[in-house]
Amino acid sequence: MQLRQLRRADLPAYGALCRYAFGMPADYTETYQAWVGHFLRHAWGAFEGSTLASAMWAYPYQMRVGDRWVPMAGVAAVASRPEHRNRGHVRALMTRAHEAMRAEGRPLAALMPFKHSYYAAMGYGTAFFHHEHQFAPGQLAPPPSSGVDLRPVDPRRELRALTRLHEAHASRRLGGVRRDALYWKTRFFGWVAPNLLPSAYLATRRGRPTGYLLTLLSQAPTGKADLRVVQAVWEDEPTLDAIVGHLRAHRDQVEKVRWNLPCDVDLFPRFDDPKIEVSLRPRAMLKLVDLKAAIEARTYAPSLRGEAVLEVEDDPTSPWNEGRWRIAFDRGRARVSKARVAGVKIDVQTLAVVYAGRRTMSSVAGVPHQILDAAFPSGTPYLEESF
């Protein structure tokens, strides 16, 4: 087996591998190949002779952690041909990719797993969840007059407004991700399945943008359609009222609306009939690719002072994370160094969940730990990007 970065000449083979593994349509496969071509320095392959047996790539993002944007990699399209599986190719690829992420200063990585236990064995923890809402538009209550105008727009012409609104939205919780123009143009507006109709709406009050709504309409040959909310962003309640009113206006056309939201967003007061389907779904997994850099990258409460020691157990794809680590907190920052004394034992998957605020250190360690609970407070992390 040979591990190396993918080259432009490898893209057709990677496209064919993705098409086999994920059922990509032919035209989307071509679009996807072109997209990966922008990021060949972040794309890796395992070769058996001249055959591409396994491959993956990662989009270079910045993730919101506390009040800072921390470099992160969104791992995508990890695929192997069936005849080459169970040979350690993916683990070797992930290890090589993590080495590269660490070298270029990306201490965090996230992915959408096909199987959680598979990536848990590589050091990823399930840190991000969402609530999947399904309801008929007619179940929504008529919203109050909001003074917000929601109008259809060409999103390519409104990228500046969409980017500003999204960044403000993403900065409100851990897991928010910055988007550049290339991401918008490729991931959101580059390809849409033939059976889906995309729409974009910009919300404004007295001419100032206050939110947006992106949807996909799936029109059935017979019967009513389904409407999927790709993303909704609002800076205040009146803007959310306008978005809800727009969805309700589909009640004679659409049978079901599907809308994924953070677990702390409560839509129930906006329904006349709140007997809707809400399911808790795992969204993404997080990994501390470089434990030391990840902990030092974020800021902490200025009043937090003290030390803690973590004993990190086996990390098969980032072995530099293993061992005892002393963390000293002072003046809003943390300094991490190797330690000799014993401390709180934790695996790297669980540490990622604590880092994200999904669980507290005391709850996973089984004993109270005031300093680490204060350093990594619980919250509602949310990552809505798709890799």
Side-chain angles (χ1 to χ4, degrees):
M1 175 182 62
Q2 178 194 10
L3 291 179
R4 64 168 173 82
Q5 285 181 316
L6 295 184
R7 302 163 186 157
R8 196 157 298 278
D10 299 317
L11 288 176
Y14 188 29
L17 179 57
C18 289
R19 190 175 183 190
Y20 188 93
F22 308 117
M24 291 181 179
D27 56 343
Y28 180 60
T29 301
E30 293 179 6
T31 300
Y32 199 78
Q33 287 174 207
W35 190 24
V36 177
H38 292 289
F39 303 98
L40 287 175
R41 64 187 294 260
H42 305 287
W44 298 87
F47 292 81
E48 293 283 359
S50 60
T51 300
L52 180 63
S54 304
M56 59 159 290
W57 74 288
Y59 198 105
Y61 286 96
Q62 288 182 307
M63 175 182 282
R64 191 70 171 187
V65 180
D67 61 357
R68 300 194 70 192
W69 295 100
V70 176
M72 182 270 281
V75 177
V78 183
S80 296
R81 292 195 174 277
E83 62 270 25
H84 295 290
R85 288 175 184 161
N86 302 314
R87 299 184 186 180
H89 291 348
V90 170
R91 178 165 293 198
L93 278 176
M94 295 293 282
T95 301
R96 183 66 189 91
H98 291 157
E99 290 171 351
M101 293 171 197
R102 184 187 185 211
E104 66 184 22
R106 297 192 181 278
L108 302 174
L111 54 75
M112 297 354 183
F114 79 97
K115 186 178 181 181
H116 287 256
S117 60
Y118 184 83
Y119 287 103
M122 299 186 198
Y124 285 78
T126 306
F128 302 106
F129 290 74
H130 65 247
H131 275 152
E132 179 184 79
H133 296 70
Q134 296 187 43
F135 55 87
Q139 292 179 273
L140 288 163
S145 177
S146 64
V148 174
D149 178 42
L150 194 67
R151 58 183 176 85
V153 296
D154 179 347
R156 294 171 181 82
R157 294 179 179 271
E158 300 289 350
L159 276 187
R160 181 176 296 182
L162 296 181
T163 300
R164 182 187 66 78
L165 288 163
H166 177 265
E167 186 160 320
H169 164 77
S171 67
R172 292 171 192 154
R173 68 176 77 237
L174 190 145
V177 168
R178 274 178 164 166
R179 295 176 183 161
D180 56 21
L182 178 62
Y183 184 85
W184 280 108
K185 292 175 182 177
T186 54
R187 190 64 175 178
F188 275 82
F189 311 127
W191 184 89
V192 177
N195 64 318
L196 298 176
L197 179 64
S199 296
Y201 300 87
L202 186 66
T204 59
R205 182 189 295 106
R206 294 188 290 275
R208 187 180 70 83
T210 60
Y212 64 81
L213 174 66
L214 306 176
T215 63
L216 289 172
L217 182 69
S218 175
Q219 185 69 59
T222 58
K224 292 186 177 181
D226 280 358
L227 186 69
R228 181 163 71 88
V229 177
V230 177
Q231 188 181 40
V233 164
W234 60 93
E235 70 175 27
D236 52 29
E237 292 297 304
T239 302
L240 178 56
D241 288 335
I243 289 170
V244 168
H246 177 81
L247 297 178
R248 185 176 183 273
H250 288 79
R251 58 192 178 278
D252 294 327
Q253 177 189 9
V254 166
E255 181 175 16
K256 184 173 290 186
V257 175
R258 303 174 190 271
W259 191 359
N260 295 333
L261 287 163
C263 295
D264 59 351
V265 174
D266 183 7
L267 279 187
F268 283 98
R270 288 181 158 81
F271 288 89
D272 270 340
D273 178 5
K275 293 180 180 178
I276 66 173
E277 297 179 39
V278 180
S279 303
L280 179 65
R281 303 283 188 185
R283 175 65 179 166
M285 303 182 80
L286 180 70
K287 178 175 173 62
L288 275 60
V289 172
D290 187 338
L291 178 154
K292 181 179 186 297
I295 292 176
E296 290 184 340
R298 62 188 293 169
T299 56
Y300 302 87
S303 60
L304 180 63
R305 286 179 173 81
E307 295 184 359
V309 174
L310 295 178
E311 292 188 53
V312 180
E313 300 170 348
D314 181 47
D315 188 344
T317 60
S318 300
W320 48 84
N321 284 336
E322 298 171 6
R324 294 174 175 175
W325 296 96
R326 173 182 172 269
I327 310 173
F329 300 100
D330 187 34
R331 299 180 183 179
R333 303 306 301 267
R335 293 291 177 263
V336 182
S337 57
K338 284 290 189 177
R340 294 182 179 180
V341 299
V344 179
K345 292 185 178 180
I346 191 169
D347 58 66
V348 72
Q349 303 95 319
T350 305
L351 181 58
V353 174
V354 171
Y355 183 91
R358 178 69 189 176
R359 299 282 302 278
T360 64
M361 183 63 74
S362 293
S363 68
V364 300
V367 293
H369 206 295
Q370 185 176 357
I371 290 178
L372 291 176
D373 285 352
F376 308 112
S378 61
T380 309
Y382 184 60
L383 193 159
E384 61 187 336
E385 308 302 318
S386 297
F387 311 133

